[in-house]
Amino acid sequence: MKEKLQQFYGYLFEEELFKEIGKVGLQKSIPQGAVIMDIGQNITHMPLLLEGAIKILREDEDGDELLLYFLERGDTCAMTLSCCMGTHKSEIRAIAESDTELLMIPVQQMELWMAKYQSWRQFILDSYHTRMMELLETVDTLAFLRMDERLLKHLRDKAKVNQNESIHTTHQEIAYDLNTSRVVISRLLKKLEKEGKIKMHRHEITVVDL
């Protein structure tokens, strides 16, 4: 754990903060597809992502999901931070996009470290900014891109966070992420393959041009 913590956060935190993180952090291994945090759940810890990737989703009144953004190594979740600081329940669903390792930080430490360590405070503020930009990008995608463009962007994003041009997924899973039907996704995937932008295999899609 110490090696990964140093690798992905070493340029951010001073040695004293690393020692405190090591004392209070709880390491968790999450298998691909598992729900890490659900809507309405009380938040007791804030995650630091050491390995893998996580997708963050919202749900409407009908239970339909919409992908907001991905988290990758070195990230944390701004919505979790917001809920931690306000002691609210989670407003998002976090699912392991791949096998994932997390270091869970108790929420009590949040405000203590915000006041004590400038590096932690800057990390939190930078994380808010990054996630806000990603949310704005999601809004722009919904507002201005055609569905085939949204689909290709989604596939490229998945490939990048998983660091693999081949994506193991199904048409139905993609439809859930983009809040559309499997029929639409299947039709558009065939279109993208015909255009030479992807290659399709059984339960696997290869993104040709990242």
Side-chain angles (χ1 to χ4, degrees):
M1 179 196 74
K2 289 183 179 179
E3 292 77 11
K4 289 181 179 178
L5 190 62
Q6 185 69 43
Q7 181 181 357
F8 300 119
Y9 298 92
Y11 69 99
L12 292 171
F13 304 145
E14 56 263 58
E15 186 61 31
E16 191 60 36
L17 177 54
F18 267 115
K19 291 179 181 178
E20 290 205 44
I21 292 174
K23 288 179 182 177
V24 303
L26 175 65
Q27 190 171 8
K28 294 187 70 174
S29 296
I30 311 292
Q32 181 181 11
V35 176
I36 300 169
M37 182 181 300
D38 212 346
I39 296 167
Q41 180 178 331
N42 289 320
I43 297 176
T44 59
H45 291 75
M46 186 204 81
L48 296 179
L49 187 51
L50 301 177
E51 196 68 52
I54 299 171
K55 60 182 179 181
I56 305 299
L57 305 143
R58 280 281 284 167
E59 184 179 86
D60 66 17
E61 295 178 354
D62 298 323
D64 294 325
E65 294 177 333
L66 177 66
L67 176 67
L68 297 181
Y69 51 77
F70 289 102
L71 300 176
E72 51 190 325
R73 290 179 300 187
D75 284 342
T76 189
C77 180
M79 290 196 171
T80 303
L81 299 177
S82 178
C83 292
C84 283
M85 299 300 282
T87 63
H88 297 148
K89 293 184 178 181
S90 173
E91 297 180 1
I92 53 92
R93 176 172 295 124
I95 297 176
E97 173 71 15
S98 59
D99 291 342
T100 297
E101 288 184 36
L102 300 172
L103 192 64
M104 306 300 287
I105 306 298
V107 296
Q108 307 92 276
Q109 301 299 129
M110 291 279 297
E111 291 190 40
L112 292 176
W113 290 350
M114 285 285 283
K116 188 175 181 181
Y117 296 109
Q118 182 179 354
S119 63
W120 179 261
R121 184 165 60 251
Q122 190 62 50
F123 170 65
I124 297 301
L125 293 174
D126 288 345
S127 297
Y128 270 119
H129 176 73
T130 300
R131 301 289 89 80
M132 179 60 69
M133 291 300 100
E134 289 173 339
L135 285 174
L136 289 176
E137 185 178 359
T138 298
V139 171
D140 287 345
T141 298
L142 289 169
F144 304 123
L145 295 186
R146 302 190 311 269
M147 181 55 77
D148 61 333
E149 295 172 323
R150 284 181 58 199
L151 174 57
L152 183 58
K153 180 182 182 303
H154 174 68
L155 296 175
R156 285 172 172 165
D157 288 346
K158 282 175 74 74
K160 286 176 182 176
V161 298
N162 286 292
Q163 299 181 350
N164 191 337
E165 62 186 13
S166 294
I167 303 165
H168 297 277
T169 188
T170 66
H171 295 194
Q172 186 61 69
E173 288 171 351
I174 297 171
Y176 283 142
D177 285 346
L178 298 182
N179 195 15
T180 187
S181 72
R182 184 188 59 79
V183 173
V184 169
I185 293 300
S186 296
R187 175 172 55 81
L188 292 178
L189 285 172
K190 290 178 182 178
K191 176 178 179 288
L192 292 176
E193 185 176 41
K194 187 175 180 180
E195 292 172 352
K197 295 175 180 176
I198 64 170
K199 293 180 180 177
M200 288 197 293
H201 317 279
R202 182 173 176 81
H203 298 316
E204 184 178 294
I205 299 169
T206 300
V207 183
V208 175
D209 182 14
L210 287 178

